[in-house]
Structures are given as C-alpha cells and as structure tokens.
Amino acid sequence: MAQPATHITSIARHAYITKTPLWQQRDALSRKSGPHATVYMVNGDRYLGEWLANKKHGNGTYFYNSTGSIYEGEWANDMRNGFGTFAMPIMNASAEKQNGNGTKSRNKAGSPTGADVAAVLETAVEKAAKREQHHAVAARDEALLLRKVYAGEWKHDKREGKGTYFYEDGSWYEGMWANDQKDGWGRMNYIDGAVYEGEWHKEMRHGQGILLSPSGDRYEGMWLDDAKEGPGKFIYKTKRQLYEGEWSKGLPKCGILVDLPPLPGQLPRKYPIPEIKLADANGVLEHQREELRETRITRMMRDEA
C-alpha cells in the first residue's frame, strides 16, 4: 500500500513584524514637534513654545522654577541659541512683607537669595491653592517682579556674540561676548559715571581701550588683566596736564608730563613744569622702557605657566 506524500513546511523563527509595537506608537505620539502649549518638566520648570524632534527648537519661553528666572527667545537643539532675553526676579513690596518679619535677605551680589524666592513662591502657591489649583502658577508669577539681566545673542546655551548685560547696581555692559564672558570690543557704563570703551578678554579689560572718569580725566592706551599696562596717555582735565609713557599694573612708570593750555576762563598755571636739563633725556626714557617691557614679558610668561 502506497504511503501518503509528506510535505515539510518551514516556519521562520523570527518572522518580520509589519505592525509597529504599541509602545513605539505611543512614544512617537509623545514626541513633540511644532508649537505646543505649556509643558511641565519633572523639576517644576515650564516651557511654552516651539519644538522639533522632542527638543526645544524655535521661539519659546522657559520658566526656571527654582530661581523664578525666565528666558524668552530662540532655541536650537534644546539649548538657548540665537537672540534671547534672560530676566531674574526681584521682590515687590508686598512680597517682601511676606518674608518672615519683613526683613530682606540678600546675597553678596545684592540679589534675592534662594530662600527668599522659595518663601515668596510658597506663600503665593498656598494662597492660590485655597482658591483653585490651576491658578497657582499664575499667582506665583505675580508675586515676583522681573529684572532684565541680559538681552542679546546666545550660542550653545551661553552668551555668545553681541549683547547687553544689566548689573543690579545700575551699571551695564554693551558689546561682544564669548563663552559666557565679556570678550571682544565693548562699552562698560559704571554706576559712578565712569565709562570704558575698548577691548575685553575673559571678563577683563585687555588690549586697547579708553577710560573716561567721572571727573573728566581720560586714559587712552593699553590694558592687561583689567589694569593699565604698556604705552598710554592720561589727560588730567582739572590740572590741565598730559602724561604720556609706560604703565605697569595700573601705575605710570616712565614717560613725559607736560602742561596743557588752560581752558577758556582758566588762568595759566602759577608753577609750570620746569624744562628738563638732562643731556640725553630720550635715552634715559628708552632704557627704562626696555626694562619695563622685559619685566612685563617675564611676568606674562610666569602667569601663563
């Protein structure tokens, strides 16, 4: 009797799955792109703005919960990038009264401390919770006044390019930034009325620059590590004198001091500077300049080592 034919069917051990798993579908739906309403972070921060591939990208506003600070501007790849404004909180009068016995604690920079901000935020949120929970965030923001700190360009989450920084004491800087520091050409307006305009490097006056003091005195010359260093001239407005020569660590070392013509309405100096009687005055100055330059180079090499 003939045996029936046997057919062997092979089954692929790992068949290709054409249907996307549910977890991948849900993950794709959760990835944010384009404009979105307020998104709350796990640490309490908030972001309102545009997204791309689940990252902050485009224009948006970020609220820092721990400090009350706000950044409003451009983003790229989840970092502040482009033009943007950063503001920090200051306390209004009613908020200060809520802080313990009405005392105001400040850190060394004069800004409200983390405890100050936390106390105001906690009081505001508690009041809002008694009314409606969804109003808590709005009430908290109303309890803080904002002070603009920086407005300008950013790159990779740091100040980079042209921007203006406003200090709490009332002074401000307008100019170039690099790696979150003043770097390049810029103008600093000090609270006492002095103005410096020139080159900066790593937050310090460095290079060619002009300093105009509140009294009207004026320095034009070189700077190194935030001090006058190298060739420069200083004009004494009231004394009507001009010093031109070498500077070291902020002090004049060797140069020429001459009288300037009196201003309209001023009388000539009673005791003018006497004439130099040295046989080789220029040679003496040049010898001192060389010594200063050698000392300066040695000091700079030691600092870099």
PDB file of all heavy atoms in Angstrom, residues 240-244 256-260 273:
ATOM      1  N   ARG A 240      45.037 120.255  33.939  1.00  0.00           N
ATOM      2  CA  ARG A 240      45.484 120.640  32.602  1.00  0.00           C
ATOM      3  C   ARG A 240      46.915 120.170  32.360  1.00  0.00           C
ATOM      4  O   ARG A 240      47.831 120.949  32.041  1.00  0.00           O
ATOM      5  CB  ARG A 240      45.379 122.159  32.395  1.00  0.00           C
ATOM      6  CG  ARG A 240      43.998 122.716  32.557  1.00  0.00           C
ATOM      7  CD  ARG A 240      43.019 122.058  31.618  1.00  0.00           C
ATOM      8  NE  ARG A 240      43.389 122.277  30.213  1.00  0.00           N
ATOM      9  CZ  ARG A 240      43.021 121.470  29.210  1.00  0.00           C
ATOM     10  NH1 ARG A 240      42.308 120.383  29.464  1.00  0.00           N
ATOM     11  NH2 ARG A 240      43.376 121.738  27.975  1.00  0.00           N
ATOM     12  N   GLN A 241      47.095 118.849  32.538  1.00  0.00           N
ATOM     13  CA  GLN A 241      48.383 118.232  32.269  1.00  0.00           C
ATOM     14  C   GLN A 241      48.177 116.957  31.470  1.00  0.00           C
ATOM     15  O   GLN A 241      47.099 116.351  31.513  1.00  0.00           O
ATOM     16  CB  GLN A 241      49.128 117.920  33.569  1.00  0.00           C
ATOM     17  CG  GLN A 241      49.628 119.147  34.307  1.00  0.00           C
ATOM     18  CD  GLN A 241      50.379 118.798  35.574  1.00  0.00           C
ATOM     19  OE1 GLN A 241      50.148 117.740  36.170  1.00  0.00           O
ATOM     20  NE2 GLN A 241      51.269 119.680  36.011  1.00  0.00           N
ATOM     21  N   LEU A 242      49.220 116.549  30.753  1.00  0.00           N
ATOM     22  CA  LEU A 242      49.182 115.333  29.954  1.00  0.00           C
ATOM     23  C   LEU A 242      50.410 114.487  30.278  1.00  0.00           C
ATOM     24  O   LEU A 242      51.549 114.971  30.194  1.00  0.00           O
ATOM     25  CB  LEU A 242      49.168 115.673  28.462  1.00  0.00           C
ATOM     26  CG  LEU A 242      49.441 114.508  27.495  1.00  0.00           C
ATOM     27  CD1 LEU A 242      48.315 113.469  27.564  1.00  0.00           C
ATOM     28  CD2 LEU A 242      49.617 115.009  26.068  1.00  0.00           C
ATOM     29  N   TYR A 243      50.144 113.222  30.666  1.00  0.00           N
ATOM     30  CA  TYR A 243      51.237 112.273  30.856  1.00  0.00           C
ATOM     31  C   TYR A 243      51.171 111.257  29.727  1.00  0.00           C
ATOM     32  O   TYR A 243      50.109 110.689  29.454  1.00  0.00           O
ATOM     33  CB  TYR A 243      51.118 111.552  32.197  1.00  0.00           C
ATOM     34  CG  TYR A 243      52.033 110.341  32.301  1.00  0.00           C
ATOM     35  CD1 TYR A 243      53.373 110.492  32.626  1.00  0.00           C
ATOM     36  CD2 TYR A 243      51.554 109.057  32.036  1.00  0.00           C
ATOM     37  CE1 TYR A 243      54.224 109.395  32.693  1.00  0.00           C
ATOM     38  CE2 TYR A 243      52.393 107.952  32.100  1.00  0.00           C
ATOM     39  CZ  TYR A 243      53.725 108.129  32.431  1.00  0.00           C
ATOM     40  OH  TYR A 243      54.552 107.045  32.487  1.00  0.00           O
ATOM     41  N   GLU A 244      52.293 111.006  29.096  1.00  0.00           N
ATOM     42  CA  GLU A 244      52.362 110.007  28.033  1.00  0.00           C
ATOM     43  C   GLU A 244      53.606 109.159  28.244  1.00  0.00           C
ATOM     44  O   GLU A 244      54.720 109.680  28.326  1.00  0.00           O
ATOM     45  CB  GLU A 244      52.408 110.672  26.661  1.00  0.00           C
ATOM     46  CG  GLU A 244      52.324 109.683  25.512  1.00  0.00           C
ATOM     47  CD  GLU A 244      52.112 110.360  24.174  1.00  0.00           C
ATOM     48  OE1 GLU A 244      52.117 111.614  24.127  1.00  0.00           O
ATOM     49  OE2 GLU A 244      51.936 109.630  23.170  1.00  0.00           O
ATOM     50  N   ILE A 256      56.604 111.228  29.852  1.00  0.00           N
ATOM     51  CA  ILE A 256      56.748 112.676  29.783  1.00  0.00           C
ATOM     52  C   ILE A 256      55.464 113.323  30.282  1.00  0.00           C
ATOM     53  O   ILE A 256      54.364 112.962  29.853  1.00  0.00           O
ATOM     54  CB  ILE A 256      57.048 113.135  28.347  1.00  0.00           C
ATOM     55  CG1 ILE A 256      58.355 112.503  27.847  1.00  0.00           C
ATOM     56  CG2 ILE A 256      57.138 114.652  28.269  1.00  0.00           C
ATOM     57  CD1 ILE A 256      58.656 112.815  26.404  1.00  0.00           C
ATOM     58  N   LEU A 257      55.614 114.282  31.194  1.00  0.00           N
ATOM     59  CA  LEU A 257      54.481 115.037  31.730  1.00  0.00           C
ATOM     60  C   LEU A 257      54.611 116.481  31.275  1.00  0.00           C
ATOM     61  O   LEU A 257      55.646 117.126  31.511  1.00  0.00           O
ATOM     62  CB  LEU A 257      54.458 114.967  33.256  1.00  0.00           C
ATOM     63  CG  LEU A 257      53.300 115.676  33.953  1.00  0.00           C
ATOM     64  CD1 LEU A 257      51.977 114.982  33.625  1.00  0.00           C
ATOM     65  CD2 LEU A 257      53.521 115.720  35.465  1.00  0.00           C
ATOM     66  N   VAL A 258      53.582 116.979  30.595  1.00  0.00           N
ATOM     67  CA  VAL A 258      53.618 118.349  30.078  1.00  0.00           C
ATOM     68  C   VAL A 258      52.364 119.090  30.503  1.00  0.00           C
ATOM     69  O   VAL A 258      51.332 118.481  30.803  1.00  0.00           O
ATOM     70  CB  VAL A 258      53.740 118.362  28.535  1.00  0.00           C
ATOM     71  CG1 VAL A 258      55.028 117.695  28.084  1.00  0.00           C
ATOM     72  CG2 VAL A 258      52.536 117.676  27.904  1.00  0.00           C
ATOM     73  N   ASP A 259      52.470 120.428  30.526  1.00  0.00           N
ATOM     74  CA  ASP A 259      51.310 121.274  30.805  1.00  0.00           C
ATOM     75  C   ASP A 259      50.490 121.459  29.541  1.00  0.00           C
ATOM     76  O   ASP A 259      51.048 121.587  28.430  1.00  0.00           O
ATOM     77  CB  ASP A 259      51.756 122.644  31.330  1.00  0.00           C
ATOM     78  CG  ASP A 259      52.326 122.568  32.737  1.00  0.00           C
ATOM     79  OD1 ASP A 259      51.783 121.784  33.545  1.00  0.00           O
ATOM     80  OD2 ASP A 259      53.317 123.279  33.022  1.00  0.00           O
ATOM     81  N   LEU A 260      49.193 121.507  29.704  1.00  0.00           N
ATOM     82  CA  LEU A 260      48.279 121.765  28.592  1.00  0.00           C
ATOM     83  C   LEU A 260      47.810 123.214  28.651  1.00  0.00           C
ATOM     84  O   LEU A 260      47.790 123.823  29.735  1.00  0.00           O
ATOM     85  CB  LEU A 260      47.073 120.821  28.660  1.00  0.00           C
ATOM     86  CG  LEU A 260      47.369 119.334  28.454  1.00  0.00           C
ATOM     87  CD1 LEU A 260      46.099 118.511  28.670  1.00  0.00           C
ATOM     88  CD2 LEU A 260      47.938 119.067  27.068  1.00  0.00           C
ATOM     89  N   ILE A 273      55.602 123.219  34.761  1.00  0.00           N
ATOM     90  CA  ILE A 273      56.611 122.172  34.859  1.00  0.00           C
ATOM     91  C   ILE A 273      57.926 122.694  34.279  1.00  0.00           C
ATOM     92  O   ILE A 273      57.949 123.225  33.155  1.00  0.00           O
ATOM     93  CB  ILE A 273      56.159 120.911  34.091  1.00  0.00           C
ATOM     94  CG1 ILE A 273      54.875 120.355  34.724  1.00  0.00           C
ATOM     95  CG2 ILE A 273      57.243 119.846  34.107  1.00  0.00           C
ATOM     96  CD1 ILE A 273      54.282 119.203  33.960  1.00  0.00           C
TER      97      ILE A 273
END
